[in-house]
Amino acid sequence: MVMEDKCIIVNQLEQSMEILSGAIHTILTTELGYRSICGKWVPHKLSENQRLVRLNIAKKLLETYENCDSRRLTEIITGDGTWVYNSTPYSKYKKRSWVRRDEQPAKIPRSDFRKPKIMYTIFFSSHGIVLQLPCESGKGVIATFFTEQVLPNLIKNIEKYRPKTRTRGMKI
């Protein structure tokens, strides 16, 4: 049954075989050499150019803040955009499968791109989230959205937690 459906759970085996779950677990793990693990999520792969750009930014930040006091780290704000899908995520048990010790876990693909989704822009600092802003439905982050909505809101939120210095010295 496990070879036919690697995602089968012990309770299903217990019901169909009329054997206690402890015995089933022992047979699967000790006798047959299986283990139950979660599938491996496969994220978007970065191109070589994207990796180099990120590496150069990280090196520049390390050089800038190498010998500074830790208060300077509060001057850094970083942000990114992410797609949030309007669907119920799978239970972690639905992603689990029985594999032998020498096998790799099943690969779990990203969410279906046809499902409804919305783009969120999120900025955070050492103090936590500074701004999270949803994009208009069906649109991505484009220059006008960024300059007209994201930056003004980001500056306003920075000024809330830095009323004296405001955006002076900030690295975004």
Side-chain angles (χ1 to χ4, degrees), residues 70-78 123-130 161-162 170:
S70 60
R71 287 180 295 160
R72 295 270 328 258
L73 296 177
T74 63
E75 298 174 351
I76 299 173
I77 292 182
T78 188
F123 285 86
F124 54 94
S125 71
S126 61
H127 297 291
I129 294 176
V130 177
Y161 81 90
R162 288 179 53 134
M170 295 301 300

Side-chain angles (χ1 to χ4, degrees), residues 11-104:
N11 289 350
Q12 291 172 321
L13 292 169
E14 181 180 22
Q15 290 174 356
S16 63
M17 299 176 71
E18 297 180 0
I19 300 174
L20 293 175
S21 61
I24 291 172
H25 193 270
T26 301
I27 292 168
L28 285 170
T29 56
T30 307
E31 303 291 326
L32 299 176
Y34 280 99
R35 59 192 172 133
S36 178
I37 57 175
C38 285
K40 184 177 182 179
W41 184 71
V42 184
H44 173 73
K45 223 175 168 181
L46 295 175
S47 70
E48 191 61 33
N49 188 43
Q50 290 169 324
R51 280 194 272 191
L52 286 173
V53 167
R54 289 182 185 203
L55 178 66
N56 289 334
I57 291 170
K59 283 180 178 178
K60 187 175 179 183
L61 282 171
L62 285 173
E63 288 169 10
T64 304
Y65 292 96
E66 187 173 20
N67 295 319
C68 71
D69 95 37
S70 60
R71 287 180 295 160
R72 295 270 328 258
L73 296 177
T74 63
E75 298 174 351
I76 299 173
I77 292 182
T78 188
D80 200 1
T82 187
W83 286 106
V84 177
Y85 291 88
N86 298 332
S87 63
T88 307
Y90 286 107
S91 158
K92 71 176 186 175
Y93 294 106
K94 290 184 180 179
K95 293 181 181 180
R96 294 184 77 84
S97 61
W98 290 96
V99 295
R100 294 190 187 276
R101 300 237 179 258
D102 58 341
E103 293 178 331
Q104 293 294 317

Side-chain angles (χ1 to χ4, degrees), residues 104-123:
Q104 293 294 317
K107 291 184 178 163
I108 307 299
R110 291 185 293 180
S111 296
D112 185 356
F113 291 107
R114 293 176 295 249
K115 290 182 181 174
K117 58 188 174 185
I118 189 165
M119 171 66 84
Y120 270 88
T121 308
I122 301 168
F123 285 86

